[in-house]
Amino acid sequence: MFPDSTGELSDLLVSISLGVKLISQMVATAGFKGLHGYSGHVNTHGDEVRQIDREADEVLVELLGSSDHFGLLVSEERDDVIATQAIGAGGKYVIAFDPLDGSSNIGSSIPTGTIFCIFRRQDLAKGASEQDFCQAGHAIVAAGYSVYGAKTSFVYSAGDGVHDFTLDPSIGEFVLTEERITVPERGNIFSVNEGNWCWWDDRMRAFIADLKGRNLVAEKPYTGRYVGSLVADFDRTLRKGGIFMYPTDSKRPNGRLRLLYECLPLAFIMEQSGGFAINGRERLIDVTPTNIHQRSAFIAGSPTEMKWFARSVYDYDL
Ligand code: AHM
Ligand code: MG
């Protein structure tokens, strides 16, 4: 289909999928190996790092750092950008990832996952720098996530639709299970941490109250679902429709989730599937990070609920 392609991007996705297979196996056996516990380290966001967060981070840093494709890596678990052996040579891409999202749930058999996004280096002659990660969401070359749950999935987009692969453990390979996922035009599920109610403003509260009542859009209450593991909540929203919200509030004026390796990749995927992802008044694919660990609000989902949210909470027409 793409006669000029070199195959490099496919090669990259294969290395990431190998990392995902290794982490999936690690998650499945973490209980036996005592990896659920804390490592004693606190990361740049103030989160206590678990052993398994560290192991997942090391797998991806070693694997992707030794491929010849990436000049720089960013991991949620490391304060600074990581330069690889390919920084001076080929390495025309950079990758940012959350190695094990939702790991606070790991001891309770709740799904966890890996999220990543890849950018092209801005100027190969100039050498790689943190600036290579400060590109708008629409400049993403490929993004994806995996969920380690009842099955291990690998969902990605390279700008031509969203495709879903499922790990077949009997052969150790990802098998294509859905091509061109389209988010439903509307859904009947809303997903938000309602424990944050006291920090929300009146408009956010009014929107949630509307979803739970006989609202004018659905004419019946929406169903509430909140796993508290972003990959799982996002994956359900993508497949079943509806809306996921982690807005800013008075306790978290900059939002809770991380822009570069959580919000932008998932926004890219939601938009590629026909939905929307915003931080309030802006579409996230139009947002450029200024800092690799910056936080953001993240609201994503079906066109109907997203337009309704943006209009009622932010006076913004999507
Ligand atoms: P993590 O990357 O440290 O695991 O944190 C991100 C997680 C997301 O998976 C999830 O959506 C969110 O934190 C839950 O936050 P809260 O507990 O405030 O609802
Ligand atoms: Mg995370």
Side-chain angles (χ1 to χ4, degrees):
M1 285 171 72
F2 303 101
D4 296 331
S5 71
T6 59
E8 189 171 359
L9 194 61
S10 316
D11 218 33
L12 286 183
L13 291 167
V14 170
S15 359
I16 298 167
S17 74
L18 174 60
V20 164
K21 286 182 203 171
L22 292 166
I23 299 172
S24 161
Q25 193 56 25
M26 222 181 253
V27 167
T29 55
F32 305 120
K33 297 182 184 156
L35 295 177
H36 285 168
Y38 293 104
S39 63
H41 178 77
V42 175
N43 70 14
T44 188
H45 311 285
D47 304 327
E48 282 189 279
V49 178
R50 288 175 189 264
Q51 290 287 2
I52 189 145
D53 285 316
R54 278 220 155 150
E55 303 254 336
D57 166 77
E58 272 163 26
V59 163
L60 289 186
V61 169
E62 273 186 37
L63 191 73
L64 305 177
S66 59
S67 84
D68 290 331
H69 310 296
F70 299 111
L72 295 173
L73 319 175
V74 160
S75 166
E76 179 185 337
E77 301 306 336
R78 311 217 183 185
D79 295 354
D80 301 319
V81 170
I82 307 151
T84 73
Q85 61 184 28
I87 190 165
K92 55 180 184 196
Y93 298 102
V94 296
I95 182 167
F97 47 84
D98 180 354
L100 196 61
D101 180 61
S103 61
S104 60
N105 292 315
I106 195 90
S108 326
S109 303
I110 288 172
T112 51
T114 299
I115 313 173
F116 67 91
C117 73
I118 300 172
F119 292 99
R120 200 167 271 114
R121 271 168 65 182
Q122 288 176 320
D123 185 348
L124 279 181
K126 261 175 131 183
S129 78
E130 196 167 320
Q131 282 308 309
D132 289 317
F133 292 97
C134 300
Q135 301 191 50
H138 53 69
I140 288 174
V141 174
Y145 65 92
S146 63
V147 187
Y148 311 117
K151 59 177 181 165
T152 293
S153 49
F154 186 86
V155 175
Y156 88 95
S157 176
D160 184 34
V162 179
H163 312 293
D164 171 50
F165 291 76
T166 304
L167 184 61
D168 179 343
S170 64
I171 54 170
E173 284 297 348
F174 279 105
V175 177
L176 179 64
T177 34
E178 196 174 340
E179 220 171 339
R180 301 199 175 279
I181 299 181
T182 313
V183 65
E185 176 57 38
R186 59 188 275 191
N188 68 348
I189 298 175
F190 77 98
S191 187
V192 70
N193 182 347
E194 279 199 82
N196 292 332
W197 179 276
C198 68
W199 318 112
W200 291 340
D201 65 18
D202 289 347
R203 296 184 74 171
M204 179 67 194
R205 288 182 191 169
F207 179 71
I208 300 298
D210 241 13
L211 288 169
K212 297 199 289 188
R214 293 183 186 281
N215 57 78
L216 293 175
V217 175
E219 293 171 350
K220 59 178 185 187
Y222 277 68
T223 290
R225 294 276 186 276
Y226 189 71
V227 177
S229 199
L230 178 62
V231 282
D233 284 315
F234 179 85
D235 193 69
R236 185 200 53 247
T237 307
L238 182 71
R239 293 170 201 268
K240 293 191 161 180
I243 184 165
F244 172 86
M245 293 157 276
Y246 214 124
T248 52
D249 56 39
S250 60
K251 185 177 167 200
R252 304 169 194 80
N254 299 319
R256 156 87 163 94
L257 300 171
R258 287 55 158 213
L259 179 60
L260 179 60
Y261 38 80
E262 293 181 326
C263 305
L264 290 188
L266 298 183
F268 183 76
I269 287 182
M270 187 54 85
E271 296 255 351
Q272 279 287 318
S273 77
F276 291 106
I278 63 174
N279 62 7
R281 284 188 192 83
E282 280 171 297
R283 278 165 78 179
L284 278 156
I285 51 164
D286 294 330
V287 173
T288 302
T290 51
N291 175 311
I292 55 173
H293 293 298
Q294 169 178 352
R295 293 187 190 258
S296 170
F298 181 69
I299 303 101
S302 295
T304 301
E305 285 77 20
M306 287 300 295
K307 286 180 186 168
W308 179 17
F309 173 91
R311 173 101 293 273
S312 21
V313 183
Y314 288 98
D315 290 324
Y316 167 44
D317 286 318
L318 267 171

